[in-house]
Amino acid sequence: MSEFWIYFQIGLKHVLDIHAYDHVLFLIALAVPFSFKDWKRIVLLVTLFTIGHTVALLLSVFDIIAIKVNVVELLIPITILITALFNLFTAGKSGKKESINLVFFITLFFGIIHGLGFSNYFKSILGGSATSKLLPLGEFALGIEAAQIVVVFVVLVLSYIVQTVFRFSKRDWTLVMSAFIIGVVLPMIIESEIWIR
């Protein structure tokens, strides 16, 4: 049981690490267009992201996929940028139900990209054969899922406060938060090591 908590806490800290805020930024971008009445949809999106993240770690643990760190470190902020831009262009539009399957697929794919960003570190903290890493990987994934649900819950509470107390419309809240995320993530893309030759 104590081993479960070790990997569960690593998963929690991976998401909630203040120095690695890209994960939280993605979750904010993912959650900001939603409200509490959409909780099933947002939990499904979060779970798809966790599944993608875990699939990437599995592929890495079994040496099926390897990708350069600087490529992944560029792709991660790009996924955040795409999500925030999607919010800007769809804020306040009623045709969201048609695009929801696309959003599910993209969230799963973005989870894979984010998982690849953590794969080298994850492999380094686990010894033994690839199959012995399956249980710790599951425990780690549960920690990630729990932390993501906490972040999304906080975003939904803030969204509720801003829309009821401060009378922001849902559209304005989505636009402001998405613009803020874009402002944070653009320097991450511009300053990426991949551009340095």
Side-chain angles (χ1 to χ4, degrees), residues 31-90:
V32 86
F34 297 100
S35 57
F36 278 112
K37 68 178 172 51
D38 306 310
W39 71 269
K40 284 182 184 171
R41 190 176 295 168
I42 190 66
V43 167
L44 181 58
L45 284 170
V46 165
T47 302
L48 283 169
F49 186 78
T50 304
I51 290 167
H53 200 280
T54 306
V55 165
L57 293 177
L58 267 173
L59 294 172
S60 174
V61 162
F62 285 98
D63 292 319
I64 296 168
I65 192 168
I67 190 163
K68 289 183 179 176
V69 175
N70 60 350
V71 172
V72 177
E73 286 179 359
L74 174 65
L75 289 175
I76 288 172
I78 288 174
T79 64
I80 302 166
L81 178 67
I82 290 168
T83 307
L85 285 171
F86 178 79
N87 291 344
L88 282 184
F89 290 111
T90 59

Side-chain angles (χ1 to χ4, degrees), residues 121-154:
Y121 174 74
F122 189 76
K123 278 169 74 173
S124 73
I125 62 172
L126 289 176
S129 66
T131 50
S132 70
K133 297 175 183 177
L134 290 176
L135 186 60
L137 181 58
E139 295 160 351
F140 174 75
L142 288 173
I144 284 182
E145 182 77 355
Q148 290 183 156
I149 287 171
V150 167
V151 171
V152 165
F153 181 75
V154 169

